[in-house]
Amino acid sequence: MVFTKADSALLTQGQPFFIPDFTSRCDHEAELVVRISRLGRSIPVRFACRYYDAVTVGVDFTARDLQQQLRAGGLPWDLCKGFDGSAVVGQFVPLTELGRDIQDLHFSLHRNGTAVQTGHTAQMLYSVDELVSFISRYFTLKTGDLIFTGTPAGVGPVSIDDHIDGYLEERHLLSFNVK
């Protein structure tokens, strides 16, 4: 499943996330986010690692009730996945600072101090390089583009006054409030 988000979906620097008034259930989906560092199209898997330079933890918010309505009607998910503020990203860490393979990273999401999602990139359905290669067959990847790589188990709703934190390994990269 591939979908795009407008630049108005991006939420950075600890800005609060506002639950939209058109949904009664807005779910968090923690994901590893990869930052594209150079222009590329139809990138072979073996060269994909040359096209990204940093990673972080992000949250892909989904208006779940709206998604169910759209799915039932056979409609695209743009409204439930791409609304303003639905793509929250933490501070990026250059791959050179990680000292480990991108397919050997732990990440987690905490809601109100409790871990609700934990993932490991080795358990992803597709490797980061496979995702970059696949997506670049259909979309030209540009410097600064972000790829959210998929979410582990533990997706769940957020509520007003929740506090969300994201971690990559031991690094605290993401922190924001839900309003």
Side-chain angles (χ1 to χ4, degrees):
M1 172 71 62
V2 174
F3 53 87
T4 61
K5 293 187 181 228
D7 59 358
S8 61
L10 192 61
L11 192 64
T12 61
Q13 300 175 349
Q15 296 171 312
F17 170 73
F18 291 89
I19 298 173
D21 63 0
F22 55 78
T23 184
S24 61
R25 180 176 172 149
C26 194
D27 286 358
H28 61 75
E29 298 181 18
E31 305 192 23
L32 183 78
V33 180
V34 177
R35 184 177 69 197
I36 299 301
S37 59
R38 60 191 284 201
L39 184 72
R41 174 140 177 82
S42 298
I43 302 165
V45 173
R46 70 182 181 276
F47 298 129
C49 64
R50 299 178 184 176
Y51 289 83
Y52 54 88
D53 66 351
V55 295
T56 191
V57 176
V59 179
D60 169 23
F61 279 109
T62 303
R64 193 66 69 201
D65 50 343
L66 181 55
Q67 182 186 39
Q68 291 168 348
Q69 293 170 16
L70 294 169
R71 183 183 291 162
L75 299 171
W77 294 1
D78 295 337
L79 298 177
C80 70
K81 300 287 276 182
F83 56 87
D84 289 353
S86 63
V88 185
V89 294
Q91 295 174 296
F92 279 90
V93 178
L95 292 175
T96 55
E97 286 184 21
L98 287 175
R100 55 192 323 151
D101 186 280
I102 197 166
Q103 291 306 138
D104 185 24
L105 297 173
H106 294 89
F107 61 98
S108 63
L109 188 77
H110 297 232
R111 186 177 62 232
N112 303 322
T114 302
V116 290
Q117 286 190 272
T118 58
H120 188 260
T121 54
Q123 297 173 335
M124 293 169 52
L125 295 176
Y126 301 99
S127 72
V128 170
D129 291 352
E130 290 170 325
L131 291 171
V132 168
S133 177
F134 179 81
I135 293 167
S136 75
R137 288 185 63 207
Y138 302 93
F139 302 97
T140 298
L141 297 177
K142 295 183 177 182
T143 302
D145 283 350
L146 305 177
I147 296 176
F148 283 63
T149 60
T151 191
V155 168
V158 293
S159 300
I160 292 173
D161 294 328
D162 279 350
H163 182 78
I164 306 294
D165 292 292
Y167 297 85
L168 179 63
E169 295 297 331
E170 69 285 343
R171 295 174 188 236
H172 184 211
L173 301 178
L174 179 69
S175 183
F176 64 95
N177 294 311
V178 178
K179 303 282 184 184

